[in-house]
Amino acid sequence: MNFNVINDTKEFDLQYHYDGTDLGACVTKCYTSFKVWAPTASNVNLLLYSDGMEQTLPKQIIQMTVTKEGVWEYGVEDNLDGTYYNYEVTALGETHITGDIYAKACGPNGIKSMVVDLTTTNPEGFNQDTFVYDFMMQPIIYEVHIKDFSYDQSSGVESKYQGKYLAFTELGTCIDLDRNKPTCVDYLKKLGITHVHILPMYDFGSIDELGDHTQFNWGYDPVNYNCLEGSYATDVLDGKVRIREMKKMVQALHKAGMGVIMDVVYNHTYTTDSYFQWTVPFYYYRTNEDGSFANGSDCSNETASERSMFRKYIIDSVVYLAKEYHLDGFRFDLMGLHDVETMNFIRKALNDLPNGEQILVYGEPWSARTPAMPEGIYPADKAHLFMLDKNIAIFSDDTRDAIKGSVFLEADSGYVNGKPELASMIPHAVRGWETPSQIISYVSAHDNFTLYDKLILSTTQKQDFISRNEAVIQMNKLCAGIIFTCCGSVFFQAGEEFARTKRGIGDSFSSPPELNMLDWKRAYEYIDLVEFYEALIAFRKTIPVFMSKEKIKDESILFLEQKDPYLISFVVQDENKKQCFIVYNPNEREVDVALPDGEWSVVCDGTSFVKENHSFTGRYSVMAKSVTILRT
Ligand code: CA
């Protein structure tokens, strides 16, 4: 019988489930304990090292003892803060030296775990650090990669911090010493977003942390879930530096008025030669009938969130990260590989923290391939949205694709860029598909083409990504105009607001940093577009129905029929009870629209937010490919 068949049973989970919160290395002033759950192991040794380098041999080998739940443990009356360690686990007749899956710190490349007294990693003032956000208010989320953010020389960030956590702590950065051209955090403050979503910063495996800084990867290849990526730290040799610097980053963003969201990838590990596999073989992964690893992630494996000790692992990990790093949200990669119950437990566990309800939880409601979920377990995907907690949101690929076409077919278009007949979908997107607290309205993310590239690819023959294309900029404005006047959370990829291009490369996960980085000069070449986003964000914040997570009342958004069937027009109320009339025109020509009763002044004419003195009654002509906003 295959071993994975033995430990994939309820009986196994019942017999060996361990409820303690002390797994990993716990250190106090005069005591250090090591505990690892490994019920199938026949022996576990603790190996202690003098440093975190891969080649360093143990200075001490200690045999651990086991409890009835299969927890191997060792305790010593000593403060081992800063000591590196591994476990040598013998199970199924194989012996592996493995990192601790519960480790909170590690050495270079996450090979050796490190005992850490976390109180020694807090930057000054971290205990007072706080970010308060009304949990019933929809966030406006900016998705960025740590290296992308500041790798560009023109970011103005000090060169030793370029591409690092600490770039987020620099204020007053600008292009060519020009204070009127702020970059990085100062730029974000001006933009008006509420949360920064950061691509993976847990310890991932695709970058050699001891290698040079030109390496690049998105980081969807987890190694140590509770440790941080070392290549973003200024020093990888000391396991505490990355912790302290990430905390400084969070603290700085909070000071700048923004929440911080962590992208987490519990759905698969970098490889199946993982610390999970070496600690409890096959327990953490779903398998096929023939015993091979199931591969719903399309990254060689998929984890098994429904098993009690992995469910506990994910919940504990998320709660730990939220508390220790003061995080304000989590984005779950391929959430459709997790089960509904686990996601709801995570939500509940976060709610139980002080101000925990404001911690955002959202994810991709799909998997890369069909998950190998056991019977009776429901995937946290789009089809099971109704089973998910109302405060777990999903990326709406329906909104995304209706607006600009499929992400998989580069020439395919949507409502804005060639298929105005998709107009019938748009009101649903505007209404957040009726569950605004669970919907993320967006048109671009790190995956697939940038919005600008997608619009170039789907509407032009020449496919010139470099010279400014006015028609495409106008379509970009319309896309943004729709997204920012939809219910739900709003999310956009960093640089979408300055026509970010990756030269038509969609899957740039390991492309050079020069292709991936935010080109800060471009932000000022396309400043009209940036200002358009800025104004849209400011406008959005004045419209309660867009900013609220409450269920929409029918009268909150009044759609008006226009003669042209492709036009979408509707009225909403702003915070001062003034009426706002919003019109999307996907046509390549101006169109006359019927205004609702009353006098209307223009807020946005489709290319910019304007201050006009004269008002309109009866009819108004909206520009081609535009979002137009008028106010009473
Ligand atoms: Ca790493």
Side-chain angles (χ1 to χ4, degrees), residues 398 402-403 414-415 419-431 433-434 559 564-568 584 586:
D398 294 319
I403 293 173
Y415 176 69
K419 283 189 195 151
E421 64 272 20
L422 292 176
S424 61
M425 315 268 283
I426 302 301
H428 300 293
V430 170
R431 291 180 61 85
W433 305 83
E434 303 305 325
F559 287 93
D564 184 315
Y566 298 154
L567 289 190
I568 299 296
Y584 309 149

Side-chain angles (χ1 to χ4, degrees), residues 153-274:
Q153 292 289 335
S154 62
S155 66
V157 167
E158 214 183 318
S159 62
K160 66 180 179 201
Y161 296 157
Q162 284 171 8
K164 306 287 185 191
Y165 297 114
L166 291 183
F168 290 84
T169 66
E170 282 209 20
L171 295 178
T173 58
C174 54
I175 291 176
D176 300 335
L177 304 174
D178 181 348
R179 292 269 163 192
N180 295 317
K181 293 181 176 172
T183 61
C184 297
V185 172
D186 280 7
Y187 167 92
L188 292 185
K189 270 165 83 171
K190 195 159 170 286
L191 196 56
I193 53 148
T194 65
H195 289 72
V196 182
H197 158 146
I198 295 186
L199 260 67
M201 53 185 164
Y202 54 73
D203 175 37
F204 55 83
S206 53
I207 300 259
D208 178 4
E209 296 178 3
L210 296 163
D212 71 82
H213 72 287
T214 60
Q215 301 172 85
F216 182 90
N217 206 286
W218 283 343
Y220 291 92
D221 44 73
V223 174
N224 283 293
Y225 287 100
N226 296 333
C227 301
L228 299 176
E229 172 53 21
S231 62
Y232 300 140
T234 58
D235 175 3
V236 298
L237 299 182
D238 178 352
K240 288 188 185 180
V241 173
R242 56 185 80 180
I243 300 176
R244 192 173 299 117
E245 292 184 345
M246 190 316 219
K247 286 178 172 176
K248 281 187 177 171
M249 173 182 87
V250 172
Q251 190 179 26
L253 283 166
H254 284 169
K255 265 201 188 126
M258 288 167 263
V260 182
I261 296 162
M262 183 171 183
D263 198 338
V264 289
V265 186
Y266 295 100
N267 67 77
H268 73 276
T269 56
Y270 187 26
T271 71
T272 49
D273 279 331
S274 69

Side-chain angles (χ1 to χ4, degrees), residues 34 36-38 41 43-49 64 72 84-91 94-103 105-106 109-114 223-224 272-281 284-285 313:
F34 295 86
V36 56
W37 185 74
N43 188 59
V44 179
N45 290 331
L46 169 67
L47 315 179
L48 300 179
Y49 304 92
M64 302 176 84
W72 293 79
Y84 291 87
Y85 69 103
N86 275 154
Y87 295 126
E88 186 179 38
V89 179
T90 303
E94 282 186 28
T95 298
H96 291 280
I97 293 179
T98 175
D100 181 5
I101 62 169
Y102 308 101
C106 62
N109 293 321
I111 290 165
K112 290 188 163 66
S113 306
M114 190 184 101
V223 174
N224 283 293
T272 49
D273 279 331
S274 69
Y275 301 157
F276 281 140
Q277 179 66 3
W278 291 341
T279 304
V280 192
Y284 292 99
Y285 299 98
Y313 183 90

Side-chain angles (χ1 to χ4, degrees), residues 42-169:
S42 55
N43 188 59
V44 179
N45 290 331
L46 169 67
L47 315 179
L48 300 179
Y49 304 92
S50 53
D51 65 48
M53 299 303 285
E54 182 174 11
Q55 65 276 15
T56 301
L57 296 172
K59 60 176 180 183
Q60 210 182 339
I61 300 176
I62 300 151
Q63 194 171 26
M64 302 176 84
T65 56
V66 66
T67 68
K68 67 176 179 9
E69 294 101 340
V71 176
W72 293 79
E73 52 186 35
Y74 171 74
V76 57
E77 286 187 16
D78 195 0
N79 181 340
L80 297 185
D81 177 35
T83 300
Y84 291 87
Y85 69 103
N86 275 154
Y87 295 126
E88 186 179 38
V89 179
T90 303
L92 288 188
E94 282 186 28
T95 298
H96 291 280
I97 293 179
T98 175
D100 181 5
I101 62 169
Y102 308 101
K104 296 184 167 82
C106 62
N109 293 321
I111 290 165
K112 290 188 163 66
S113 306
M114 190 184 101
V115 179
V116 61
D117 175 353
L118 287 159
T119 59
T120 65
T121 63
N122 287 344
E124 210 185 313
F126 196 64
N127 287 333
Q128 286 75 50
D129 166 71
T130 175
F131 175 74
V132 179
Y133 193 77
D134 177 356
F135 78 96
M136 283 308 287
M137 194 116 100
Q138 295 285 16
I140 298 167
I141 303 167
Y142 190 80
E143 184 206 40
V144 74
H145 179 277
I146 290 180
K147 198 164 224 172
D148 288 359
F149 189 61
S150 60
Y151 191 80
D152 181 11
Q153 292 289 335
S154 62
S155 66
V157 167
E158 214 183 318
S159 62
K160 66 180 179 201
Y161 296 157
Q162 284 171 8
K164 306 287 185 191
Y165 297 114
L166 291 183
F168 290 84
T169 66

